């Protein structure tokens, strides 16, 4: 009789439970056989009587509450609770339906959200995978469907909004917001970012220079020191001589100095001394009068020095200038006046000279190919730009910068660089410096397929893959005379390798351990052994 009373009480409770949980409520026997089932409207569903509900049967068998799936509606959650000779089970079908309706409402509103936000709007699932996305003009971005965003996944896992950089457009910011445990939505401000970038480019066009110090990408100590020095001397009037290997960005530095100087509102005139024959360089530098030579323009033409009056003249590859022209250039620098070819009247000029070379001018002076007095005139302030092999910590920083840049250009959505790819990039000697690295990343982004989420070794140019080595091979150890001790040398080599690995992976300890082929425990111990405890705190 007691069991019968308990059963009747449970049956009376079922409609209330179904309505409260927003789904179905049922009572089964210990075999999982349905005795009575009610929906969220309080109606009994008689056609389910006698059916076996596996979740209820298993809960009775194990003698404990279980969570599982609804037998009636796919994707709905359910629970089963053993109560003596019976099992009480409920599902949240109505909540699932409400969630599906909510998701559909977000899908319909997505084009409007994109338009209001001024960028892309996207819905993603619990794995951070794109379900659907729209541009601000209402166009669906079907090519990005299925892409996984790590930031979106982070938002779903943390159940908190995540604000950060957009991986699809360089310079744009994005917000990812979890709505339910199954989906979330996000948006970015790429239109505003693109407008800002266009405005920035237009301003730079008006200045006749494209670059500022903000365009010089890198975090290494060597580069930061060089940028700091260049920025400091930008306010002066003295001539500057920039040394740097091919592809290090000598003109980028020259333009940045000009744009940081009081002369930024005036002209920046660049002349490549190695790209033109001597006769053309002379006429381009100093200008000419009408009739000075066959083909001379009527009325003559001002040269680079006159055009740059009040501003800056940049003489690239100054080492390639012929000795005869060097003499004339020296006179202009000494007298601060220029005489056009075929002319007699000197014209006073106020020009700051920045010259660059990828050769050692002292060697050229010793060989009689460069005037020593001109060297002293140009070399008032000397700036040496570090090569990429001198700033290895910047290789991956630059690679990621170019990757994001080409994401926008090529319509790709790459977020990460594979660990093996990082090793290949880090171990290359980069004779072409930043220019070579940029070309390699551009090549790689052209090779990326629709289903690729990160840059892989297969995307890189073949010559990089063929010459790749391990991180250990990239470390160069200098042994000074009188200090040739094997134990000390090995310890120093290990210390350098560990530091190098940490810089490659931006000080992430787990990744560094993987890169080195050791456990994280071993890595921590070795950091302490080598006096690198401060690296433990870096993030």
């Amino acid at each position: 009789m007691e069991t019968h009373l308990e059963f009747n009480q449970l049956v009376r409770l079922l409609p209330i439970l179904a309505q409260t949980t927003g789904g179905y409520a049922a009572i089964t026997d210990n075999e999982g056989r349905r005795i009575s089932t009610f929906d969220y409207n309080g109606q009994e569903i008689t056609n389910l009587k006698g059916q076996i509900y596996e979740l209820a049967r298993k809960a009775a068998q194990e003698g404990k509450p279980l969570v599982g799936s609804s037998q009636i509606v796919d994707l709905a959650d359910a629970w089963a609770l053993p109560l003596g000779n019976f099992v009480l089970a409920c599902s949240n079908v109505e909540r699932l339906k409400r969630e599906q309706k909510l998701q559909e409402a977000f899908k319909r509103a997505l084009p409007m959200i994109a338009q209001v936000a001024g960028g892309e709007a996207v819905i993603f699932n619990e794995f951070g995978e794109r379900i659907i996305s729209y541009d601000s003009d209402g166009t669906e971005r079907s090519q990005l469907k299925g892409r996984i965003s790590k930031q979106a996944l982070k938002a779903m896992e943390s159940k908190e909004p995540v604000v950060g950089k957009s991986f699809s457009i360089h310079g744009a910011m994005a917000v990812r917001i979890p709505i339910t445990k199954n989906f979330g939505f996000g948006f970015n401000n790429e239109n505003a970012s693109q407008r800002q970038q266009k405005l920035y480019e237009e301003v730079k066009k008006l200045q006749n220079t494209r670059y500022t110090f903000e365009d010089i990408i890198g975090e290494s100590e060597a580069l930061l020191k060089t940028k700091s020095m260049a920025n400091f001397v930008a306010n002066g009037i003295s001539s500057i001589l920039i040394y740097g290997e091919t592809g290090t960005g000598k003109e980028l530095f020259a333009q940045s100095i000009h744009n940081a100087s009081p002369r930024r509102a005036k002209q920046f005139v660049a002349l490549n001394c190695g790209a033109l024959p001597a006769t053309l360089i002379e006429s381009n530098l100093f200008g000419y009068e009408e009739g000075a030579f066959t083909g001379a323009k009527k009325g003559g033409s001002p040269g680079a020095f006159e055009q740059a009056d009040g501003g800056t003249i940049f003489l690239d590859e100054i080492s390639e200038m012929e000795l005869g022209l060097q003499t004339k250039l020296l006179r202009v620098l000494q007298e601060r006046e220029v005489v056009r070819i075929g002319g007699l009247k000197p014209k006073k000029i106020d020009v700051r000279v920045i010259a660059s070379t990828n050769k050692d001018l002292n060697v050229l002076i010793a060989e009689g190919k460069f005037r020593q007095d001109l060297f002293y005139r140009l070399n008032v302030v000397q700036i040496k730009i570090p090569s990429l092999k001198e700033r290895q910590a910047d290789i991956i920083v630059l690679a990621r910068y170019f990757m994001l840049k080409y994401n926008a250009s090529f319509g790709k959505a790459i977020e990460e660089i594979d660990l093996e790819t990082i090793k290949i990039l880090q171990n290359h000697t980069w004779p072409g410096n930043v220019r070579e690295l940029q070309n390699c990343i551009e090549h790689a982004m052209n090779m990326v397929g629709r289903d690729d989420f990160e840059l892989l070794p297969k995307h890189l140019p073949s010559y990089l893959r063929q010459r790749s080595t391990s991180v250990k091979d990239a470390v160069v150890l200098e042994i000074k005379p009188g200090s040739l001790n094997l134990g000390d040398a090995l310890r120093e080599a290990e210390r350098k390798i560990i530091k190098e690995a940490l810089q490659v992976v931006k000080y992430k300890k787990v990744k560094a351990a993987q890169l080195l082929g050791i456990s994280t425990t071993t890595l921590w111990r070795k950091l302490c052994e080598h006096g690198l405890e401060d690296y433990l705190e870096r993030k």
Side-chain angles (χ1 to χ4, degrees), residues 61-244:
Q61 184 181 27
E62 296 184 11
K64 62 181 182 181
L66 292 179
V67 175
S69 301
S70 168
Q71 184 185 34
I72 302 172
V73 177
D74 289 340
L75 302 179
D77 295 326
W79 53 262
L81 174 68
L83 296 170
N85 295 326
F86 306 103
V87 178
L88 184 64
C90 289
S91 65
N92 64 346
V93 174
E94 184 63 17
R95 186 176 67 79
L96 177 67
K97 288 183 177 179
R98 286 198 300 268
E99 184 174 308
Q100 289 173 339
K101 285 181 180 179
L102 180 62
Q103 185 171 328
E104 288 302 317
F106 264 100
K107 284 184 179 179
R108 290 193 297 272
L110 212 58
M112 188 182 301
I113 293 172
Q115 185 177 9
V116 173
E120 181 194 19
V122 59
I123 291 178
F124 45 83
N125 62 20
E126 65 268 36
F127 307 111
E129 181 182 8
R130 286 169 175 258
I131 298 172
I132 190 170
S133 62
Y134 285 90
D135 284 329
S136 57
D137 61 1
T139 304
E140 183 180 351
R141 285 186 171 178
S142 55
Q143 75 274 17
L144 296 179
K145 189 175 182 180
R147 293 277 187 181
I148 293 177
S149 165
K150 290 187 177 181
Q151 296 299 311
L153 178 59
K154 182 179 177 181
M156 296 303 292
E157 290 177 342
S158 66
K159 299 179 178 59
E160 295 284 345
V162 173
V163 180
K165 294 179 180 179
S166 169
F167 71 84
S168 56
I169 296 293
H170 177 69
M173 297 298 291
V175 181
R176 290 89 173 180
I177 306 171
I179 302 301
T180 70
K181 72 173 186 177
N182 294 315
F183 85 95
F185 93 103
F187 57 88
N188 64 33
N189 65 337
E190 63 182 48
N191 288 4
S193 177
Q194 287 174 334
R195 283 196 300 270
Q196 186 177 358
Q197 186 62 31
K198 283 182 181 177
L199 178 61
Y200 181 54
E201 293 297 332
E202 288 302 316
V203 169
K204 288 198 289 187
K205 282 180 185 176
L206 292 173
Q207 294 176 330
N208 202 34
T209 47
R210 296 174 54 197
Y211 302 111
T212 67
F213 285 113
E214 290 182 359
D215 296 304
I216 302 174
I217 307 301
E219 301 170 0
S220 66
E221 185 179 356
L223 182 70
L224 292 178
K225 282 184 176 179
T226 306
K227 283 175 66 174
S228 177
M229 179 183 177
N231 195 24
F232 182 76
V233 301
N235 286 318
I237 60 172
S238 300
S239 299
I240 296 174
L241 184 59
I242 300 176
Y243 279 92

Side-chain angles (χ1 to χ4, degrees), residues 312-539:
T312 305
I313 187 168
F314 175 55
L315 303 177
D316 195 12
E317 296 187 40
I318 190 70
S319 57
E320 305 304 312
M321 182 177 284
E322 292 187 358
L323 280 170
L325 274 179
Q326 291 180 31
T327 303
K328 293 181 179 181
L329 174 60
L330 177 63
R331 183 186 176 281
V332 172
L333 298 182
Q334 287 174 333
E335 304 300 330
R336 294 290 170 179
E337 62 182 26
V338 63
V339 179
R340 292 185 183 185
I341 298 173
L344 298 172
K345 187 178 179 181
K347 177 180 174 60
K348 285 290 182 183
I349 53 165
D350 172 24
V351 175
R352 186 180 200 179
V353 178
I354 301 177
S356 74
T357 178
N358 60 4
K359 295 180 179 179
D360 188 339
L361 293 185
N362 286 304
V363 173
L364 296 181
I365 291 169
E367 295 173 351
K369 296 178 180 177
F370 201 86
R371 290 186 61 115
Q372 191 172 44
D373 45 6
L374 177 59
F375 170 74
Y376 290 135
R377 277 286 176 185
L378 296 173
N379 197 47
V380 178
V381 176
Q382 184 184 121
I383 296 175
K384 185 181 182 302
I385 304 175
S387 64
L388 207 46
K389 63 187 174 188
E390 294 175 276
R391 42 184 285 221
Q392 287 216 335
D394 289 338
I395 292 173
I396 305 308
V397 175
L398 284 161
R400 288 196 173 99
Y401 170 79
F402 292 132
M403 178 185 74
L404 292 175
K405 175 183 176 181
Y406 291 123
N407 262 344
S409 301
F410 301 158
K412 303 293 175 69
I414 301 297
E415 290 187 78
E416 285 295 335
I417 302 176
D418 173 70
L419 193 59
E420 204 57 41
T421 309
I422 287 177
K423 287 164 70 175
I424 293 172
L425 294 175
Q426 195 73 30
N427 294 325
H428 184 55
T429 55
W430 301 108
N433 291 289
V434 179
R435 189 181 296 128
E436 182 189 1
L437 176 59
Q438 180 174 359
N439 289 343
C440 286
I441 298 302
E442 183 176 1
H443 170 95
M445 293 298 286
N446 274 291
M447 298 297 109
V448 166
R450 185 189 177 282
D451 297 326
D452 293 319
F453 301 101
E454 56 185 358
L455 280 188
L456 301 171
K458 67 178 182 179
H459 300 137
L460 296 174
S462 58
Y463 79 91
L464 280 183
R465 300 196 303 271
Q466 291 164 1
R467 295 177 60 186
S468 65
T469 56
S470 68
V471 168
K472 292 83 177 173
D473 296 328
V475 175
V476 177
L477 184 64
E478 294 182 5
I479 302 177
K480 297 177 181 178
S483 62
L484 189 58
N485 181 286
L486 181 59
D488 291 343
L490 288 174
R491 278 190 293 274
E492 182 61 21
E494 185 176 68
R495 187 175 189 274
K496 284 193 173 186
I497 289 168
I498 291 171
K499 286 178 67 177
E500 185 71 33
L502 284 164
Q503 288 173 349
V504 167
V505 297
K506 299 182 87 63
Y507 305 102
K508 294 184 173 112
K509 312 304 180 300
V510 175
K511 284 192 174 183
Q514 291 173 347
L515 189 60
L516 292 166
I518 59 177
S519 68
T520 50
T521 305
T522 301
L523 175 60
W524 281 63
R525 178 172 54 79
K526 288 186 177 293
L527 285 172
C528 295
E529 284 178 4
H530 291 295
L532 299 171
E533 291 91 343
D534 59 320
Y535 282 76
L536 297 173
E537 306 301 323
R538 295 199 189 183
K539 306 216 171 178

